Amino acid sequence: MSKPKLALYWASSCGGCEIAVLGLHEKILDVAEAFDIVFWPCVMDFKYEDVEAMEDGEIDVCLFNGAIRNDENAHLAHLLRRKSKVMVAFGSCAFGGSMPGLANFNDREQMFNYIYHDSPSTDNPDGIVPQQRTDMPEGELVLPNFWNTVKTLAQVVPVDYYLPGCPPEASSIETAVTAIVSGELPPPGSVIGPDITVCDECPREKHEKKISRFYRPQEIIPDPDTCLLEQGLFCAGIATRSGCGARCPQVGVGCRGCYGPNEGVYDHGAKIMTGIASVLDADTPEEVEAILDTLPDPAGYFYRFHMPDSLLRRTARTNGKKLLASEQVAASEL
Amino acid sequence: MSENEKRVGVYVCHCGHNIAGTVDVEHVAEWAYNLPNVIISRDNKFMCASTGQEQIEEDVKEFNLTHVVVASCSPHMHEKTFRNAVERSGLNPYLFEMANIREHASWVHPDDQDGATSKAKALVSAAVHRVLHHEELTPMQVEIRPEVLIVGGGVAGIQAALEVAEAGHHVYLVEREPSIGGHMAQLDKTFPTLDCSACILTPKMFDAGSHPNITLLTYAEVEQVDGYVGNFTVRVRKKAKMVHEDLCTGCGTCWEKCPKKVIDTVFESGLGYRKAIYRPFPQAVPKYPVIDVETCIYYDTGKCRACEKFCPTDAIDFEMQDEIVNLEVGNIIVATGYDLFDPRRIPQYGYGRHENVFTSMEFERLVNAAGPSDGRVVLRDGETTPQSVAIIHCVGSRDKNYNGHCSAICCMYSLKFAHLVKERTEAEVYNFYIDMRTIAKGYEEFYDRVLEEGAHFIRGKVSEITDATHASEEEGKLVVVAEDTLIGKQRRVPVDMVILAVAMEPRADAEEVAHRFGIGCGDTGFFTERHPKLDPVATVTEGVYIAGACQGPKDIPDAVAQGSAAAARVLSVISQREVALEPVRATIDEEHCSGCRICNTMCPYHAIDFIEADSVSRVNPALCKGCGTCVAACPSQVISGAHFTFDQLIAEIDGIMVDVNIDEPLVAAEMV
Amino acid sequence: MSENGTFKPVIVGFLCNWCSYRAADLAGTSRMGYPATLRDIRIMCTGRLDPTFVLRALEKGADGVLIMGCHPGQCHYQEGNYKAIRRFALLKRTLRQFGIEEERVQLHWASAAEGVEFAKTVAKMTEEITALGPLEWSRNWPNEDPHIYAEEAAHE
């Protein structure tokens, strides 16, 4: 019997997920042993034509990382979906949009204006901007169309499994790979991994919570044994799926939320929001506002990993118009 | 049950013309067939009538319905009615949902029939989507302990205690002061009958003190209440009295010998004195004294011990400590009474500055035969009989600067004062009032009587009480300045004595006490009853009742009536032996709870415990009131609020956002 | 949007069982008219309001969300509305970053006796949202995926 065929692809992401697969170290040999790797552009030389040439459903498993930011990402998502039996959204970008998804707080025009004109480090006296089509003596060069709105993989093609993490921990990948190899997969649509939160794995002591102000990480040295949130440091661990071993809080950094929400949650940001707001040590709107003044860019915190698959997905359509002053402040802090 | 096995019946009520006059009821019923899992949809003239209810019962059987939706009036009106009908049909009563298309649609949109009909469709859709997620729920049965805690030994508390005790159940009556009796014990006469207050109260106090079914805990305060209806655990702190009650005979030698005189600001309202070891008043129940450690010489200097020396039974114990008593009770009646408004807050009335401005309670003590002046109406010098007396109504009441509410009793006690001044002196009496409120039996007649006795009534709010004189007849007098609104003139009335009819206010610690017992305070600060008309002595916490002036200003007969009413409610609960608790409450999925403890501070009823060993939080279902605050707080969504679950509410939102203009196929507006 | 094209907003209401829902009942029994724009959902307490519900309503096409509870200090459950104040404040700041106008999501109080205030609140909010125009959140992003166009074209 031939080995099952595995494809790995990298759409709009940083490449960390690829490194995480390599981070399996010697276990990667087991993967190579168990699978016939048919497509992995980051590591081996494959061409899109190779994939196009395959039969539909020929690939057994596709580990797809990265968000869908442009036509090329979408093209490969559709292509690999057609060619794969099992499609896994691998890592936080494919799952929830993650860092690339934060671009949904702006639109394309705003971003291009900033990047190519307005940013303090931009030196572009001729106002040159990338053109989608450029005629060269050798022929026409085409860049993929850059979308106004970043999407998750599941918003473009049907996804069978989700493997969260930025990047997924080696142990999570192992769990997933083992499940795939053994054929003992959870029901389609599942997130592979335990459904508990980071707090569950976090060794810090938790008490009844009351937050009277927030601190930026540089403002305090947190007590090493106490819950970070109780000390006023933003931590999304209360609302974020575990599987990471609570790595960040263990070293004094609040959980960023990369493993995403728990089962049944519709909006990761809303859950972080409600958890944190509930324990603000204030009852009048004025007192509440005073505390919240110490938490700049709340939407950025809450939707850091799940903006495109949040209920609202993006900010209001601005069509390149100037944002309200209040939004600009927030956007610049992203 | 799988999704496609669910069979929903929808009933749209005409309510005669009340709904059908505005909402196109037939259309709504017809349209509802497009909603998911709807098997039968009917309109009906009156769903709450027996025919309407029977229709549900018949249909459930004939069409094997699994869920029922009734679109009619407010659930506050008929939810119970229809739940009962659903239960009679053999279904769990919680597999039912109501859409309010009368109060919330037809009655408020009479000029917009299309709008009202569209809204009715949206509300029916919401109910159908929601009911598909309903689960069978069963009320929890708990046993009722027969013991009753009554907090506050004023007349309302005493009345309640006697009623419960007479019915054969044990009562713990907790009172903060050394004696029961409350404010009524301080009064001289009661309006309008002019009964001697002490004469009618002291027999009741004695009965309460000697009843075999009543345990008095005086000089004591409730510190903590845990548990739920039928099974409360109450921690009471008995302050150290420094006197062993089992040895003391109440002979009075100790306070006769005590060298330390103290101004009595409680019982005598600051007009008289007591000793450092004291019994608040002669008829006190219990009759034993207490040592006030704040003023006792021994606790200050380490010397004296005169009381101990002279006590014939060695009852004095300077080393006595506070005692904590834990009580197990099934029901609680809170009758903690009221405070009087401090008129220093209205500086222009000069109380505390002009010595002959008195509060109403000071005047009560003054006219009381057992009071500091032996009942003589005299000025603060203790000798001079006033030639003229002004009584100022509504001091701190009906005044947005202090209390918006009417204190209910001031008009009548002011009339009583007018009568007593007339009876005991030759003085002219001027009543300054805003409105006269003499609203109960015999009250208006009493007003007539005082008018006939020649008291003057000036309708106007007093702006100032001053000793700055303008004319010779004002010399040495207090001048009451007010606009007489009946003649439209500014009046200056020189008098010798002014009595301020001060407001009844919630106790200073009412909010704290409310919190302790799980009851609410309204905007005036008095405790909130469950329903202002139909459930005036119950509270939102089952098993906790309120009686007397802690619920709002009231006179003695009303306070007594509430004491009896609260006792009757408690007796009715006790006689049921067990009580069913509404199943709308929260539960935590402990397998998935991460122990983050966000929810721990959410519950005002202390229903959430953190289980250290398992690192999870747990809801005590009997304590939970089902508000859902912890459910909404849980960041990992593992707290579920029965009957208001996440899925039910999301389904309701999706259902309510249905496009009411689309006839079919009907799906909630989907995202691109 | 009504048939004749004039914009009639849809406002989803979250009313607490004890005060604001009863205020709405009272507005009904007292026949105090207000625009048929509010579609209300009963929750036991504003403390039950998960911010997810507000986002869901907006996502599903609501032009506004009105949350109403007992006045501060008068919560039937003592302090549920204080929790609502906290969550609402943070939700509002978040929605601002999403570019959603403040008027679209509002928190108000009404005691069970305040039927008039309830009706006025709905009327005022309806005016404000009518002035803003429809939110139509799902139309907020054009479908940019060329494959979907291709597939759709293939279907046609």
Side-chain angles (χ1 to χ4, degrees):
Chain A
M1 211 180 95
S2 64
K3 289 194 281 189
K5 288 178 177 164
L6 177 68
L8 294 98
Y9 185 66
W10 165 7
S12 183
S13 60
C14 66
C17 287
E18 308 278 342
I19 307 299
V21 177
L22 296 172
L24 290 173
H25 301 300
E26 67 279 3
K27 288 260 164 94
I28 193 80
L29 299 174
D30 296 345
V31 175
E33 182 68 30
F35 291 98
D36 179 11
I37 298 173
V38 295
F39 184 59
W40 194 358
C42 175
V43 176
M44 292 175 261
D45 186 20
F46 292 97
K47 299 284 182 261
Y48 293 171
E49 295 83 47
D50 300 335
V51 182
E52 278 157 12
M54 293 178 192
E55 295 289 316
D56 284 2
E58 190 179 323
I59 302 170
D60 291 278
V61 179
C62 174
L63 303 180
F64 191 106
N65 77 75
I68 310 300
R69 156 91 279 180
N70 59 34
D71 283 356
E72 187 194 23
N73 300 154
H75 173 70
L76 265 291
H78 285 283
L79 180 63
L80 286 166
R81 170 71 274 188
R82 206 163 65 236
K83 303 296 177 192
S84 307
K85 290 196 185 76
V86 173
M87 180 63 123
V88 179
F90 186 95
S92 299
C93 293
F95 181 18
S98 194
M99 298 301 138
L102 284 172
N104 285 0
F105 278 109
N106 293 284
D107 61 20
R108 175 172 44 203
E109 206 174 324
Q110 286 168 332
M111 278 188 285
F112 281 12
N113 282 340
Y114 188 76
I115 293 161
Y116 296 108
H117 301 293
D118 301 339
S119 123
S121 60
T122 300
D123 181 18
N124 186 8
D126 302 328
I128 297 166
V129 293
Q131 301 298 308
Q132 216 181 322
R133 289 169 192 281
T134 312
D135 284 321
M136 298 297 284
E138 297 82 359
E140 189 189 44
L141 286 179
V142 181
L143 286 176
N145 183 37
F146 186 96
W147 292 3
N148 203 43
T149 303
V150 176
K151 288 187 174 181
T152 67
L153 181 61
Q155 285 168 351
V156 177
V157 296
V159 167
D160 300 303
Y161 298 103
Y162 301 88
L163 189 61
C166 182
E169 284 296 318
S171 58
S172 303
I173 302 173
E174 251 189 82
T175 309
V177 169
T178 312
I180 292 165
V181 172
S182 66
E184 286 167 10
L185 282 160
S190 301
V191 175
I192 299 173
D195 181 26
I196 44 173
T197 69
V198 174
C199 290
D200 211 85
E201 295 185 331
C202 176
R204 288 173 178 270
E205 263 176 51
K206 289 132 202 129
H207 311 89
E208 290 194 348
K209 291 181 171 43
K210 268 188 178 168
I211 302 175
S212 51
R213 67 152 292 178
F214 291 95
Y215 293 93
R216 310 299 293 271
Q218 71 273 20
E219 289 176 316
I220 57 165
I221 296 170
D223 176 88
D225 302 321
T226 307
C227 166
L228 292 170
L229 191 56
E230 287 166 24
Q231 301 182 63
L233 283 165
F234 176 85
C235 180
I238 49 171
T240 301
R241 198 183 267 272
S242 69
C244 59
R247 287 196 166 214
C248 298
Q250 290 212 47
V251 296
V253 175
C255 165
R256 311 263 143 160
C258 75
Y259 266 65
N262 288 93
E263 213 58 54
V265 170
Y266 278 42
D267 193 287
H268 191 208
K271 287 290 149 183
I272 307 171
M273 187 195 311
T274 193
I276 286 181
S278 296
V279 295
L280 296 179
D281 191 11
D283 287 332
T284 67
E286 296 73 27
E287 291 165 3
V288 175
E289 296 295 341
I291 296 176
L292 294 182
D293 282 343
T294 61
L295 182 73
D297 185 23
Y301 274 125
F302 302 154
Y303 292 99
R304 198 195 294 260
F305 290 92
H306 281 263
M307 179 65 173
D309 84 335
S310 69
L311 287 170
L312 296 182
R313 295 186 179 199
R314 62 158 301 118
T315 53
R317 184 172 35 180
T318 54
N319 296 325
K321 276 183 298 190
K322 280 253 175 203
L323 288 165
L324 303 172
S326 56
E327 293 154 20
Q328 273 183 332
V329 173
S332 69
E333 282 165 359
L334 291 177
Chain B
M1 192 185 301
S2 76
E3 282 311 306
N4 46 20
E5 284 168 356
K6 292 177 180 170
R7 301 167 67 83
V8 181
V10 176
Y11 300 87
V12 187
C13 182
H14 289 240
C15 195
H17 202 62
N18 280 310
I19 297 172
T22 307
V23 170
D24 186 345
V25 171
E26 286 95 349
H27 171 67
V28 174
E30 186 63 28
W31 178 87
Y33 272 112
N34 299 311
L35 293 167
N37 301 58
V38 172
I39 301 301
I40 181 82
S41 179
R42 302 179 189 271
D43 58 289
N44 186 300
K45 278 276 179 240
F46 287 103
M47 276 310 295
C48 62
S50 55
T51 47
Q53 295 187 50
E54 282 156 19
Q55 182 79 67
I56 297 176
E57 294 173 52
E58 286 163 21
D59 285 355
V60 168
K61 287 177 189 125
E62 185 177 346
F63 298 103
N64 292 318
L65 300 182
T66 58
H67 298 78
V68 174
V69 167
V70 175
S72 57
C73 50
S74 170
H76 290 296
M77 182 69 92
H78 274 313
E79 190 173 54
K80 256 205 174 122
T81 311
F82 297 123
R83 272 190 188 162
N84 289 342
V86 168
E87 190 166 28
R88 282 197 303 275
S89 74
L91 291 178
N92 182 287
Y94 290 89
L95 300 175
F96 161 77
E97 179 64 6
M98 214 163 160
N100 182 350
I101 61 167
R102 189 179 75 173
E103 283 85 344
H104 292 200
S106 68
W107 277 352
V108 282
H109 313 310
D111 306 324
D112 182 4
Q113 302 205 345
D114 290 345
T117 302
S118 295
K119 180 165 168 180
K121 285 156 81 174
L123 295 179
V124 169
S125 166
V128 170
H129 280 81
R130 186 192 210 280
V131 84
L132 289 169
H133 294 268
H134 279 203
E135 294 154 351
E136 294 191 357
L137 297 173
T138 316
M140 205 168 81
Q141 299 288 332
V142 292
E143 273 186 41
I144 304 285
R145 290 191 72 98
E147 296 86 351
V148 180
L149 170 73
I150 297 177
V151 188
V155 68
I158 292 172
Q159 181 71 20
L162 288 171
E163 300 267 13
V164 174
E166 281 297 298
H169 303 295
H170 199 85
V171 173
Y172 298 98
L173 180 56
V174 175
E175 166 59 47
R176 188 174 351 205
E177 296 296 328
S179 170
I180 58 170
H183 281 112
M184 188 177 168
Q186 294 174 270
L187 309 181
D188 179 42
K189 298 280 188 289
T190 59
F191 57 77
T193 51
L194 301 174
D195 287 306
C196 159
S197 186
C199 311
I200 56 177
L201 179 66
T202 45
K204 275 187 179 288
M205 289 166 60
F206 180 78
D207 288 351
S210 57
H211 202 291
N213 279 341
I214 298 179
T215 304
L216 281 190
L217 298 159
T218 53
Y219 216 45
E221 287 192 69
V222 173
E223 288 195 332
Q224 197 181 324
V225 180
D226 289 310
Y228 46 89
V229 59
N231 297 277
F232 291 107
T233 311
V234 182
R235 194 174 75 201
V236 177
R237 176 178 295 270
K238 285 177 74 179
K239 285 174 278 185
K241 293 180 174 177
M242 310 302 169
V243 174
H244 286 291
E245 296 191 348
D246 47 344
L247 298 175
C248 176
T249 60
C251 69
T253 311
C254 55
W255 65 80
E256 276 163 26
K257 298 295 181 186
C258 175
K260 177 76 174 191
K261 241 178 156 187
V262 182
I263 295 174
D264 182 359
T265 54
V266 178
F267 191 79
E268 294 293 2
S269 283
L271 286 188
Y273 294 91
R274 62 165 170 81
K275 296 291 183 63
I277 183 165
Y278 72 107
R279 178 165 78 181
F281 52 101
Q283 307 92 327
V285 172
K287 62 187 176 186
Y288 315 114
V290 300
I291 295 179
D292 171 14
V293 298
E294 297 296 317
T295 52
C296 171
I297 295 170
Y298 171 70
Y299 289 99
D300 189 27
T301 65
K303 297 200 182 91
C304 182
R305 303 178 83 121
C307 49
E308 188 184 44
K309 252 172 266 166
F310 288 99
C311 177
T313 59
D314 292 332
I316 309 287
D317 176 0
F318 287 103
E319 307 306 318
M320 195 183 262
Q321 297 294 315
D322 288 3
E323 190 188 341
I324 301 294
V325 185
N326 287 306
L327 306 175
E328 305 271 327
V329 299
N331 287 278
I332 298 173
I333 298 172
V334 180
T336 48
Y338 62 98
D339 277 344
L340 285 165
F341 176 78
D342 179 356
R344 285 182 188 85
R345 289 167 61 194
I346 312 182
Q348 62 269 33
Y349 285 0
Y351 179 77
R353 198 152 38 87
H354 306 311
E355 63 170 3
N356 288 317
V357 177
F358 291 79
T359 67
S360 37
M361 192 51 90
E362 284 177 329
F363 187 76
E364 289 284 357
R365 295 311 303 154
L366 213 52
V367 289
N368 194 309
S373 68
D374 304 324
R376 288 175 302 120
V377 175
V378 286
L379 298 183
R380 213 169 289 259
D381 63 9
E383 290 168 10
T384 320
T385 306
Q387 299 302 305
S388 48
V389 176
I391 303 169
I392 319 297
H393 295 218
C394 298
V395 176
S397 307
R398 304 184 70 202
D399 183 335
K400 291 214 162 123
N401 298 311
Y402 309 102
N403 293 296
H405 66 259
C406 168
S407 292
I409 59 167
C410 321
C411 282
M412 285 308 297
Y413 77 62
S414 296
L415 289 173
K416 177 185 78 179
F417 290 171
H419 167 82
L420 292 173
V421 173
K422 282 279 176 197
E423 184 185 82
R424 299 184 190 185
T425 71
E426 300 293 314
E428 290 296 325
V429 179
Y430 302 90
N431 278 272
F432 291 85
Y433 69 100
I434 308 176
D435 296 292
M436 286 305 294
R437 296 185 168 177
T438 55
I439 50 157
K441 190 163 83 176
Y443 289 10
E444 185 70 9
E445 292 85 338
F446 187 72
Y447 180 23
D448 286 342
R449 175 177 170 187
V450 174
L451 279 169
E452 276 167 25
E453 286 170 357
H456 305 285
F457 285 83
I458 297 164
R459 184 173 181 278
K461 190 162 171 60
V462 171
S463 60
E464 191 184 9
I465 294 159
T466 176
D467 56 1
T469 53
H470 284 187
S472 57
E473 71 266 23
E474 294 179 356
E475 286 299 336
K477 305 256 182 190
L478 290 169
V479 183
V480 181
V481 185
E483 187 198 348
D484 185 332
T485 58
L486 294 180
I487 57 173
K489 276 201 177 131
Q490 192 74 12
R491 295 274 300 264
R492 292 175 62 86
V493 180
V495 294
D496 297 324
M497 178 190 237
V498 175
I499 305 166
L500 304 177
V502 293
M504 283 174 115
E505 285 188 329
R507 287 284 191 194
D509 58 354
E511 230 170 284
E512 205 182 304
V513 171
H515 202 260
R516 200 168 301 148
F517 289 95
I519 56 190
C521 285
D523 51 357
T524 55
F526 291 104
F527 298 154
T528 310
E529 60 285 350
R530 195 182 195 111
H531 190 282
K533 304 272 181 259
L534 303 178
D535 213 351
V537 296
T539 70
V540 290
T541 297
E542 297 192 49
V544 177
Y545 299 86
I546 49 178
C550 64
Q551 180 262 351
K554 56 180 59 66
D555 59 11
I556 293 165
D558 283 359
V560 170
Q562 281 205 335
S564 293
R569 292 296 307 274
V570 166
L571 293 173
S572 140
V573 175
I574 294 173
S575 67
Q576 293 164 32
R577 300 212 172 136
E578 51 178 37
V579 68
L581 300 181
E582 178 71 14
V584 175
R585 50 200 74 230
T587 43
I588 296 179
D589 173 359
E590 290 181 19
E591 194 190 326
H592 292 110
C593 171
S594 67
C596 73
R597 307 195 63 178
I598 290 279
C599 61
N600 288 187
T601 54
M602 292 297 104
C603 184
Y605 307 103
H606 316 295
I608 304 177
D609 292 319
F610 182 67
I611 314 297
E612 229 30 94
D614 303 332
S615 187
V616 294
S617 295
R618 189 174 293 161
V619 176
N620 180 338
L623 287 179
C624 172
K625 306 271 180 293
C627 66
T629 304
C630 63
V631 183
C634 179
S636 54
Q637 207 165 293
V638 299
I639 310 185
S640 175
H643 215 53
F644 290 86
T645 65
F646 184 82
D647 289 346
Q648 286 164 2
L649 287 164
I650 288 284
E652 191 169 357
I653 296 165
D654 293 358
I656 218 163
M657 283 312 298
V658 82
D659 188 341
V660 291
N661 297 315
I662 294 175
D663 277 344
E664 63 181 331
L666 201 70
V667 283
E670 278 303 326
M671 296 268 310
V672 180
Chain C
M1 199 77 72
S2 75
E3 296 83 24
N4 58 15
T6 53
F7 171 55
K8 267 170 103 184
V10 172
I11 301 170
V12 171
F14 293 97
L15 310 183
C16 80
N17 181 56
W18 303 96
C19 292
S20 54
Y21 193 91
R22 285 165 195 256
D25 279 0
L26 180 63
T29 43
S30 324
R31 312 296 201 276
M32 293 160 190
Y34 56 85
T37 48
L38 182 76
R39 302 179 181 180
D40 59 271
I41 289 171
R42 182 168 63 124
I43 46 182
M44 292 309 280
C45 176
T46 46
R48 174 66 185 94
L49 191 84
D50 181 335
T52 309
F53 300 157
V54 176
L55 302 172
R56 180 64 159 188
L58 296 173
E59 181 217 352
K60 286 289 173 190
D63 300 298
V65 174
L66 173 61
I67 306 151
M68 286 185 86
C70 310
H71 285 278
Q74 293 177 41
C75 176
H76 183 84
Y77 301 104
Q78 299 185 27
E79 47 198 43
N81 51 4
Y82 291 128
K83 314 297 190 299
I85 289 174
R86 299 176 196 169
R87 294 177 191 138
F88 178 72
L90 195 46
L91 174 64
K92 215 165 66 170
R93 284 179 180 237
T94 308
L95 291 176
R96 200 181 296 152
Q97 289 185 269
F98 276 88
I100 292 173
E101 299 90 341
E102 293 227 346
E103 295 86 342
R104 293 203 189 267
V105 180
Q106 301 189 17
L107 172 67
H108 292 280
W109 315 119
S111 78
E114 292 177 335
V116 180
E117 285 73 8
F118 178 86
K120 276 187 191 160
T121 304
V122 178
K124 181 159 180 283
M125 185 164 174
T126 302
E127 263 176 43
E128 288 166 356
I129 297 198
T130 308
L132 288 176
L135 185 62
E136 294 181 309
W137 196 261
S138 61
R139 294 198 192 183
N140 190 27
W141 49 91
N143 200 330
E144 294 165 287
D145 188 344
H147 289 74
I148 300 292
Y149 301 149
E151 281 170 26
E152 276 174 1
H155 279 292
E156 275 162 15

